[in-house]
């Protein structure tokens, strides 16, 4: 394999865009005796990868047995349904239920409240006009004195 081709594959290798076949060719090249002088610096990387690939552990691992989590999932589902049902029920029952007579009384109250607000706004405008009249009176008395 020529040096230029190896450099291209090596650049792609470090960018993570090589295929398994190209990585195998790089490993074969760097684990052989015919490595170019300008690429010798990469030889320990592939030698270390080869050693790590062949490394095996002698320790026996046992994973703890896990209990099925379907019971917990079932309880969470049931609790969520109860919370939602409680929320919907409390919202529904907190809404006031008025008879027809009470609804008519509330409508009349709203109308009278709106009429009172209109009257209050008009009185406030009139009170503002009175301040102008009062100021006019004070100024007129100063002039005629």
């Amino acid at each position: 394999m020529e040096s230029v081709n190896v450099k291209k594959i090596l650049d792609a290798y470090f960018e993570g865009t090589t295929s398994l076949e190209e990585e195998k060719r790089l490993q074969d090249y760097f684990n052989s005796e015919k490595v170019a002088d300008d690429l010798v610096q990469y030889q320990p990387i592939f030698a270390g990868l080869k050693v790590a690939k062949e490394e095996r552990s002698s320790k026996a691992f046992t994973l703890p047995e896990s209990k099925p989590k379907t019971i917990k999932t079932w309880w969470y589902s049931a609790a969520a349904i109860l919370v939602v049902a409680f929320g919907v029920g409390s919202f529904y029952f907190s809404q006031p239920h008025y008879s027809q007579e009470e609804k008519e009384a509330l409508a009349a109250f709203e109308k009278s409240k709106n009429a009172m607000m209109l009257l209050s706004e008009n009185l406030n405008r009139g009170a503002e006009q009175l301040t102008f009249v009062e100021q006019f009176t004070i100024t007129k008395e100063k002039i005629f004195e």
Side-chain angles (χ1 to χ4, degrees), residues 6-72:
V6 171
K7 286 182 183 178
K8 286 181 184 177
I9 296 174
L10 195 59
D11 288 339
Y13 178 77
F14 286 127
E15 290 178 15
T17 58
T18 56
S19 65
L20 293 176
E21 179 184 315
E22 290 172 330
E23 290 179 17
K24 176 86 170 102
R25 287 185 2 207
L26 280 175
Q27 287 177 357
D28 292 341
Y29 176 77
F30 282 107
N31 289 327
S32 70
E33 299 296 324
K34 302 175 189 175
V35 178
D37 291 336
D38 58 334
L39 298 174
V40 171
Q41 61 187 355
Y42 299 111
Q43 197 169 13
I45 295 172
F46 290 96
L49 289 174
K50 181 179 180 184
V51 170
K53 186 177 182 182
E54 294 171 356
E55 193 173 272
R56 301 284 181 249
S57 175
S58 61
K59 184 176 179 181
F61 292 99
T62 57
L63 296 175
E65 291 184 25
S66 62
K67 295 179 183 177
K69 295 185 179 183
T70 56
I71 294 174
K72 279 187 177 179

Side-chain angles (χ1 to χ4, degrees), residues 77-126:
S77 301
I81 289 171
L82 286 175
V83 167
V84 169
F86 180 74
V88 169
S90 64
F91 177 75
Y92 178 74
F93 289 117
S94 69
Q95 299 297 319
H97 299 287
Y98 297 119
S99 66
Q100 184 63 30
E101 185 178 303
E102 290 172 329
K103 289 178 185 176
E104 290 173 2
L106 281 173
F109 172 74
E110 286 296 322
K111 284 182 183 178
S112 62
K113 186 170 86 172
N114 288 337
M116 291 294 190
M117 289 298 290
L118 183 63
L119 178 66
S120 173
E121 288 173 7
N122 287 331
L123 283 176
N124 287 337
R125 274 193 239 134

